[in-house]
């Protein structure tokens, strides 16, 4: 038989062969089996143990179907499929949990840069010798494609706009898969979308990916799903507290000179390495392991904060050192140890009065042949863009015994 059949709980049986099969066999791609798609969300949703590996296969499968629907030529189709398969190849442990650490400590190892460098063969994320190993750039070249084109596509810099939009847009194969997959594994029905209709109403027009006017409801459905999954799953306050705790444990370890190669580790390895360290990192790793999570002391919504307070918190969001200083001040004020009070934010856009709309806005092809931005055609899209955040803007958490004290003093400590 030519190729392999993979059975996926979301998309059913999918056949992979050729360049896709060869890329799936690489140690870099297999590594994604050990990285959870939703970080620490399994502590709230016990089923959320799915991995970047299966999501990447799902994104490839949707890319294959979309390429057929919009009738891409063979080379563009294969390029999109490779891009969809490898779009998360650079993800570090616990997926997005350590975003702030990448920004502050190891900029060049965030998943976008790392993915690009793995595809271009500039960095090796796999430790140890592997017999008869094939490398990703060599595989891509052996099939007549350019690793640089794949990297550009993944980074959203590809010259053909519509191909970039299929991977990074308002309606793209990555989002379609993760919304369906995350809904399935968390059991949260909000993420369910009409993929059959969605793939039928997308088309290429005037060099860009557009949605046919007849298909607006399918796109609205997807945007509703995304907005609700953000508040219900991705920014669930207990998930954010657990992620905040693990982030602080890693920050402590880095400050002491440990775990600087965390970005190439898998989820389990990070927990084990942290657990082996003395003091705070080890304690937090054990708390995560046995789900002994800090409690939310403060969940403040944006409308409860003055413009000045928002400004102050935004500076703490942007500057890790400032955030760490506020946390230390809060811990001192209540007699807690450093690291026992954590300050978390939902997406920073919430802190600004007007969230910026994404530049990748998809256009709608009207029956008149005219193109209009989605937000002009449907007021729901506008409202959802603004609602894509949870109800809380600022979260402060600590061990249960300090919760009441934190509630009493937090405003005075942060804003005085």
């Amino acid at each position: 038989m030519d190729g392999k059949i993979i059975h996926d709980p979301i998309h059913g049986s999918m056949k992979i062969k050729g360049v896709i099969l060869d890329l799936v066999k690489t140690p870099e791609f297999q590594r994604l089996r050990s990285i959870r798609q939703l970080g620490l969300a399994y502590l709230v949703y016990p089923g959320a143990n799915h991995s970047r590996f299966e999501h990447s296969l799902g994104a490839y499968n949707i890319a294959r179907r979309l390429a057929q629907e919009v009738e891409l030529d063979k080379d563009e189709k294969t390029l999109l499929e490779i891009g969809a398969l490898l779009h998360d190849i650079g993800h570090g442990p616990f997926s997005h949990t350590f975003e702030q650490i990448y920004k502050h400590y190891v900029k060049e190892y965030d998943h976008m840069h790392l993915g690009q460098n793995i595809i271009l063969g500039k960095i090796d994320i796999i430790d140890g010798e592997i017999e008869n190993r094939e490398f990703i750039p060599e595989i891509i070249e052996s099939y007549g494609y350019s690793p640089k084109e794949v990297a550009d596509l993944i980074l959203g810099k590809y010259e053909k706009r519509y191909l970039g939009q299929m991977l990074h847009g308002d309606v793209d194969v990555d989002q379609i898969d993760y919304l369906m997959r995350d809904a399935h594994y968390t059991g949260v029905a909000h993420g369910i979308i009409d993929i059959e209709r969605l793939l039928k109403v997308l088309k290429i027009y005037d060099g860009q990916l557009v949605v046919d006017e007849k298909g607006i409801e399918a796109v609205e459905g997807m945007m509703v799903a995304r907005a609700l999954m953000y508040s219900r799953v991705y920014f669930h306050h207990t998930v954010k507290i657990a992620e905040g705790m693990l982030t602080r444990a890693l920050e402590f370890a880095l400050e002491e000179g440990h775990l600087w190669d965390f970005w190439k580790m898998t989820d389990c390895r990070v927990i084990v390495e942290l657990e082996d360290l003395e003091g705070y990192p080890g304690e937090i790793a054990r708390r995560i392991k046995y789900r002994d999570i800090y409690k939310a002391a403060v969940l403040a919504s944006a409308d409860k904060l003055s413009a000045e307070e928002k400004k102050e918190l935004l500076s703490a969001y942007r500057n890790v050192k400032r955030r760490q200083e506020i946390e230390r001040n809060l811990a001192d004020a209540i007699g807690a140890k450093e690291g026992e009070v954590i300050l978390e934010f939902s997406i920073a856009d919430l802190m600004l009065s007007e969230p910026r709309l994404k530049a990748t806005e998809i256009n709608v092809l009207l029956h008149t042949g005219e193109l209009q931005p989605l937000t002009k055609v449907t007021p729901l899209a506008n409202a959802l863009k603004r609602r894509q955040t949870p109800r809380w803007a600022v979260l402060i958490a600590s061990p249960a015994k300090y919760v009441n004290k934190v509630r009493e003093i937090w405003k005075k400590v942060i804003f005085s």
Side-chain angles (χ1 to χ4, degrees):
M1 187 191 77
D2 175 27
K4 275 192 166 33
I5 304 274
I6 293 177
H7 299 287
D8 179 68
I10 309 302
H11 306 300
S13 296
M14 46 179 149
K15 189 171 181 183
I16 60 168
K17 58 183 183 178
V19 64
I20 299 299
L21 179 56
D22 286 350
L23 289 168
V24 166
K25 287 177 180 173
T26 61
E28 291 91 338
F29 195 79
Q30 292 294 321
R31 171 183 166 275
L32 297 178
R33 290 180 186 272
S34 304
I35 291 171
R36 282 191 178 91
Q37 174 76 8
L38 291 182
L40 293 170
Y42 69 93
L43 294 170
V44 175
Y45 298 101
N49 284 300
H50 54 303
S51 67
R52 291 271 153 192
F53 177 87
E54 57 204 90
H55 161 61
S56 298
L57 281 169
Y60 146 73
N61 189 56
I62 296 172
R64 180 187 62 76
R65 292 184 60 191
L66 179 58
Q68 283 171 341
E69 289 291 347
V70 298
E71 297 177 351
L72 293 181
D73 68 38
K74 181 178 172 292
D75 284 348
E76 286 185 348
K77 176 179 181 287
T78 306
L79 188 63
L80 178 66
E81 288 173 358
I82 295 171
L85 186 78
L86 299 182
H87 77 282
D88 277 346
I89 198 74
H91 257 293
F94 295 105
S95 293
H96 291 286
T97 300
F98 297 135
E99 291 292 338
Q100 285 294 85
I101 286 184
Y102 290 110
K103 277 189 195 122
H104 184 71
Y105 291 93
V106 289
K107 285 190 183 64
E108 68 274 29
Y109 297 126
D110 72 68
H111 80 274
M112 295 302 273
H113 281 97
L114 202 50
Q116 177 187 22
N117 286 331
I118 290 168
I119 289 163
L120 296 176
K122 290 181 178 175
I123 204 160
D124 191 1
I125 202 169
I126 303 298
D127 285 327
E129 288 296 307
I130 293 172
E131 218 177 317
N132 304 324
R133 179 176 168 193
E134 285 194 87
F135 289 87
I136 284 175
E138 291 160 11
I139 293 170
I140 293 170
E141 281 171 347
S142 73
Y143 282 90
Y145 296 92
S146 152
K148 186 180 182 312
E149 284 196 342
V150 175
D152 285 350
L153 182 59
I154 287 172
L155 288 174
K157 294 178 179 171
Y158 193 65
E159 57 187 4
K160 289 180 178 163
R161 188 179 166 201
Y162 56 86
L163 275 187
Q165 286 174 300
M166 289 177 189
L167 206 48
H168 291 289
D170 255 356
V171 182
D172 60 40
V173 300
D174 175 27
Q175 281 184 90
I176 293 172
D177 184 80
Y178 78 63
L179 287 170
M180 295 174 73
R181 196 168 295 279
D182 297 349
H184 176 84
Y185 283 105
T186 55
V188 173
H190 297 317
I192 294 166
I193 55 181
D194 186 355
I195 182 176
E196 302 304 325
R197 180 76 176 143
L198 211 44
L199 293 177
K200 290 272 187 284
V201 297
L202 292 170
K203 38 178 57 110
I204 296 165
Y205 181 83
D206 198 19
Q208 57 183 293
L209 187 69
V210 299
V211 61
D212 191 289
E213 188 178 14
K214 297 196 292 278
I216 286 172
E217 290 81 5
V219 178
E220 285 178 328
M222 176 176 159
M223 295 181 85
V224 168
R226 184 173 64 188
L228 294 174
M229 287 295 281
Y230 262 86
S231 44
R232 183 81 191 278
V233 177
Y234 309 140
F235 281 87
H236 188 291
H237 66 273
T238 309
V239 174
K240 290 312 278 185
I241 293 169
E243 290 180 347
M245 289 168 69
L246 195 58
T247 297
R248 303 312 178 274
L250 183 54
E251 283 174 4
F252 266 70
L254 294 171
E255 295 284 354
E256 290 168 1
H258 304 293
L259 263 72
W260 276 87
D261 58 349
F262 76 89
W263 48 271
K264 56 162 77 170
M265 294 179 184
T266 55
D267 294 5
C268 291
R269 175 90 189 275
V270 166
I271 294 285
V272 169
E273 295 272 347
L274 286 171
E275 204 177 353
D276 283 348
L277 294 175
E278 297 289 307
Y280 183 79
E283 181 201 325
I284 293 298
R286 281 185 289 280
R287 275 179 170 267
I288 297 291
K289 200 167 155 183
Y290 302 118
R291 204 189 181 280
D292 183 9
I293 309 294
Y294 290 173
K295 297 288 179 273
V298 175
L299 284 167
S301 60
D303 54 13
K304 296 278 189 294
L305 299 165
S306 70
E308 274 309 300
E309 288 170 344
K310 282 184 192 171
K311 213 164 146 189
E312 173 64 37
L313 288 165
L314 197 56
S315 79
Y317 171 86
R318 289 182 173 148
N319 182 338
V320 167
K321 286 283 179 232
R322 175 77 189 113
R323 189 255 299 149
Q324 289 170 340
E325 184 191 340
I326 291 173
E327 288 174 341
R328 276 194 296 272
N329 293 343
L330 286 165
D332 287 346
I334 60 169
K337 297 199 299 273
E338 185 178 353
E340 286 195 311
V341 180
I342 62 174
L343 175 62
E344 281 292 318
F345 306 94
S346 58
I347 358 192
D349 284 351
L350 185 68
M351 309 294 292
L352 303 164
S353 53
E354 184 58 37
R356 284 150 299 167
L357 299 181
K358 280 199 274 175
T360 49
E361 178 70 81
I362 195 164
N363 283 320
V364 177
L365 178 60
L366 302 176
H367 63 279
T368 57
E370 180 193 0
L371 287 179
Q372 282 275 11
L374 185 67
T375 40
K376 287 269 194 332
V377 182
T378 158
L380 185 59
N382 256 331
L384 287 170
K385 286 272 192 179
R386 278 201 287 280
R387 192 216 169 274
Q388 232 187 63
T389 38
R391 288 185 293 275
W392 56 272
V394 181
L395 182 161
I396 305 174
S398 68
K401 62 183 174 184
Y402 298 121
V403 163
N404 290 333
K405 282 186 187 168
V406 173
R407 280 181 190 151
E408 284 164 26
I409 57 99
W410 75 279
K411 280 208 165 187
K412 199 165 75 207
V413 172
I414 298 178
F415 303 125
S416 61

